[in-house]
Amino acid sequence: MIDARLVPDKQEALTPGEAVAGMILNGLGFSNRPLSLTPQFFANTPLDLLLHEGVHADLFNRFQLGRTLDEVYGYGCDLLLSDLAVAICTPEGIDPRFNHLDTTSFSLSGAYVPERDEQAITITHGYSKDHRPDVQQAVLELRVSQDGGVPFVSKSWEGNASDTPMFQERAAALMPTFQRSPTPRYLVADAKLYNEDNAANLQELGLSTRIPNTRTLVSLVIPQALREDTWQRLADTIRSHRIALCHDGMAQRWLVVTSQPALERAAASVNKAQQREAEASAKQLWHWQATRFETPEAAHAALAALAKSWRYHQVATSCLIEHPHSARKGRPTPPTPLTSMAWQIQAQLRPDQARMTSRKQHDACVVVGTNIEPSQVSDPAVIQAYQAQAQAEGGFRFLKDPLFFVSSLFVKKPCRIQGLLMVMTGALLVYSVTQRRLRQQWARHNETVPTQINQPTARPTVRWVFQLLEGIHRVRVTVQGKVHDLIEGLNAVQIKILRLFGDQVCRLYQISPG
């Protein structure tokens, strides 16, 4: 498919499609080698089986790969990946209903000269999700399926791009696509998707997103839900409360969701905040207690005003201490008249358990909003769709893993950076489809493989499967002038895995289909 779009040069021994395939194989090999060392990665790899006869490791040099990245950029990185995704996802039967949108940043070292081509992204400083504000970066937008986390669309952005305008542009671009779709399609994203400027686009899309806590209405909806007893239990530990309303010009249903794990996290956070406040309040109160007041009422009013600044504490006990002032200096005697009286107040604190409990319950809740009709998608399905936002985050973890070739972002041309980001997303496409297909086969045949601690699992990651397949070698022997290929090093677990990949793989590894 790539060669049909990036027309190969007749003088080149390696086509653009083969070069992209080589880069993807390099990434999936988790070799931790930059692209400049790709020939080293392929030195002991049977390229005649992976590609075709006549392809050797030296062809994957940095000049060939650099030219290929230029051709990918010239065709359109986003368009090429979209073409591949559509062609792969349709026969795989991947459910396209829920599309998960997210972004991440890739830190890049070195100096980057702006391209003459104004369409190339600018490598610059910006908000770093890698917590590396000292280095320049590029931003990658990704839209993946809920079914297996397969990437549908990717787009590279400038290093200082913000999520809010990116999501707004993507929402506007998705409207005609979703409207032409023969089946309903919905967009899922984090709170950056939901903003007033994007409301006009969101009205035309079916969406599921977390409503940002910065919205005033959220602080009113959660306490209202906690006061009511109409919660629905969705799972053993998950509960939800539905509220129908109209917000930003959209008829919506907001689902206040809480769970036992979220309550435990909120409790740990509130307890830690209470301890910090206890230490700070004790110091504050120690200094404040030296203050003297003219009347007892003024002392109690000042203590009450100070207590208002405490979120998790209240006054346990307090006592007043009198400080009389006599008319003359020195030690007063009984007949010495008093001119005035000052008052000092001392207090003890205690945790406000009621307020802490309320804060824990509030912080354990999130508000998931949707404008999809309940007849189309039920409340549990909306919540499940938002929870599956981890599919996009899992894709970014894969791309940014140190063992993956993200460290190979050494190329100095921004257009090649964009091409390389497309190749990396293509590797994620191959990885996620392979993992989905393999897990389906495992479930169909009711098979398991041992984990790292030798426990059976039916849902292994492809990375672990690749590690289980290590140690297999192809040995070439010559007998009476004829070359024979023998596969050496297979064990029972590897044979079980290879059989799940189908008859073609079994023939390559010289094993019976079983």
Side-chain angles (χ1 to χ4, degrees):
M1 289 186 61
I2 295 176
D3 286 340
R5 289 157 175 77
L6 311 180
V7 182
D9 191 325
K10 295 181 180 179
Q11 297 181 348
E12 292 183 336
L14 200 67
T15 69
E18 292 167 348
V20 172
M23 287 186 278
I24 289 177
L25 288 169
N26 186 11
L28 294 179
F30 301 102
S31 59
N32 201 21
R33 290 186 178 96
L35 289 186
S36 59
L37 299 180
T38 301
Q40 185 186 95
F41 170 76
F42 285 117
N44 296 315
T45 304
L47 293 173
D48 57 319
L49 295 179
L50 290 171
L51 298 174
H52 60 81
E53 290 285 350
V55 178
H56 52 86
D58 292 340
L59 295 177
F60 292 92
N61 55 70
R62 59 191 181 96
F63 303 106
Q64 176 65 49
L65 301 184
R67 287 194 299 269
T68 301
L69 295 178
D70 289 337
E71 294 179 40
V72 169
Y73 173 79
Y75 178 81
C77 305
D78 311 329
L79 178 60
L80 184 57
L81 179 78
S82 179
D83 291 347
L84 298 175
V86 170
I88 291 174
C89 294
T90 302
E92 287 289 328
I94 294 173
D95 186 0
R97 283 195 310 160
F98 292 101
N99 295 248
H100 296 265
L101 182 65
D102 206 351
T103 65
T104 193
S105 59
F106 289 90
S107 301
L108 310 172
S109 58
Y112 290 85
V113 179
E115 287 279 343
R116 295 180 181 177
D117 188 351
E118 297 179 356
Q119 300 300 321
I121 62 173
T122 301
I123 309 300
T124 184
H125 295 275
Y127 174 74
S128 176
K129 298 184 179 181
D130 293 335
H131 307 291
R132 288 294 308 274
D134 56 312
V135 297
Q136 300 183 87
Q137 65 179 17
V139 175
L140 180 66
E141 172 195 348
L142 202 62
R143 181 163 60 90
V144 305
S145 70
Q146 181 175 328
D147 182 9
V150 180
F152 291 144
V153 171
S154 73
K155 184 175 181 180
S156 49
W157 292 79
E158 297 183 353
N160 58 359
S162 173
D163 284 358
T164 300
M166 277 191 282
F167 285 179
Q168 185 173 352
E169 180 177 325
R170 179 57 59 191
L174 286 176
M175 282 193 296
T177 303
F178 281 15
Q179 291 171 356
R180 291 194 305 266
S181 176
T183 58
R185 300 184 68 176
Y186 311 114
L187 184 63
V188 184
D190 59 20
K192 291 294 183 66
L193 177 68
Y194 195 90
N195 61 82
E196 296 179 2
D197 296 335
N198 204 18
N201 297 326
L202 299 181
Q203 290 180 11
E204 306 297 329
L205 293 172
L207 65 98
S208 174
T209 182
R210 185 174 68 84
I211 308 300
N213 293 333
T214 54
R215 292 299 185 99
T216 305
L217 193 56
V218 172
S219 62
L220 302 177
V221 165
I222 294 179
Q224 175 188 340
L226 292 173
R227 288 192 298 267
E228 300 181 5
D229 57 357
T230 57
W231 288 74
Q232 297 179 350
R233 186 168 294 278
L234 305 180
D236 294 338
T237 61
I238 301 177
R239 297 184 304 142
S240 72
H241 177 81
R242 182 203 292 185
I243 297 176
L245 46 76
C246 183
H247 193 246
D248 285 346
M250 288 184 289
Q252 303 178 52
R253 51 183 162 136
W254 284 9
L255 304 175
V256 183
V257 184
T258 186
S259 65
Q260 185 61 33
L263 185 60
E264 293 173 359
R265 291 192 298 269
S269 177
V270 170
N271 290 337
K272 186 179 295 184
Q274 181 265 329
Q275 293 174 2
R276 290 196 301 265
E277 186 181 80
E279 296 173 1
S281 300
K283 293 180 181 179
Q284 180 186 27
L285 195 60
W286 187 81
H287 290 286
W288 179 83
Q289 288 177 150
T291 306
R292 299 185 182 184
F293 301 92
E294 295 181 355
T295 63
E297 292 78 10
H300 284 293
L303 179 60
L306 180 64
K308 289 182 179 179
S309 64
W310 302 331
R311 298 185 64 184
Y312 305 113
H313 292 85
Q314 60 185 0
V315 177
T317 59
S318 63
C319 63
L320 290 170
I321 301 175
E322 299 178 350
H323 293 277
H325 293 270
S326 58
R328 63 184 183 184
K329 296 182 179 180
R331 178 177 294 182
T333 60
T336 303
L338 299 178
T339 58
S340 63
M341 180 74 72
W343 303 86
Q344 180 184 2
I345 189 169
Q346 292 184 343
Q348 297 290 330
L349 303 182
R350 69 179 178 189
D352 191 339
Q353 297 296 339
R355 191 181 299 180
M356 289 177 61
T357 300
S358 176
R359 173 55 58 181
K360 292 173 185 178
Q361 294 176 344
H362 185 282
D363 291 352
C365 295
V366 296
V367 180
V368 179
T370 180
N371 59 355
I372 309 171
E373 293 293 334
S375 58
Q376 296 179 351
V377 181
S378 63
D379 292 353
V382 170
I383 297 172
Q384 184 180 7
Y386 178 73
Q387 290 176 332
Q389 182 68 7
Q391 296 282 8
E393 297 169 358
F396 288 135
R397 284 195 299 270
F398 168 83
L399 293 176
K400 302 174 80 166
D401 192 287
L403 292 178
F404 193 63
F405 60 9
V406 66
S407 60
S408 63
L409 291 177
F410 64 94
V411 291
K412 299 304 180 184
K413 295 177 63 177
C415 65
R416 291 187 178 182
I417 289 288
Q418 291 182 250
L420 189 56
L421 289 173
M422 176 270 156
V423 173
M424 293 165 59
T425 311
L428 174 61
L429 175 65
V430 174
Y431 182 91
S432 56
V433 170
T434 304
Q435 182 167 274
R436 177 181 179 274
R437 187 187 296 179
L438 193 59
R439 288 179 174 179
Q440 287 180 342
Q441 288 286 85
W442 244 281
R444 186 178 298 115
H445 294 278
N446 196 24
E447 293 281 2
T448 62
V449 293
T451 63
Q452 290 90 335
I453 58 175
N454 205 29
Q455 297 295 318
T457 179
R459 293 181 59 81
T461 64
V462 170
R463 173 176 299 179
W464 175 239
V465 170
F466 287 168
Q467 292 177 2
L468 290 175
L469 292 176
E470 290 179 350
I472 304 175
H473 303 283
R474 183 182 68 168
V475 180
R476 283 193 159 178
V477 297
T478 304
V479 179
Q480 297 180 353
K482 293 184 179 181
V483 178
H484 300 271
D485 291 340
L486 302 177
I487 303 299
E488 181 269 334
L490 286 170
N491 57 39
V493 173
Q494 292 170 337
I495 292 175
K496 181 197 297 187
I497 294 172
L498 294 171
R499 281 174 173 165
L500 295 179
F501 279 102
D503 295 346
Q504 183 179 0
V505 172
C506 289
R507 288 194 297 270
L508 287 174
Y509 284 87
Q510 301 175 2
I511 60 177
S512 62

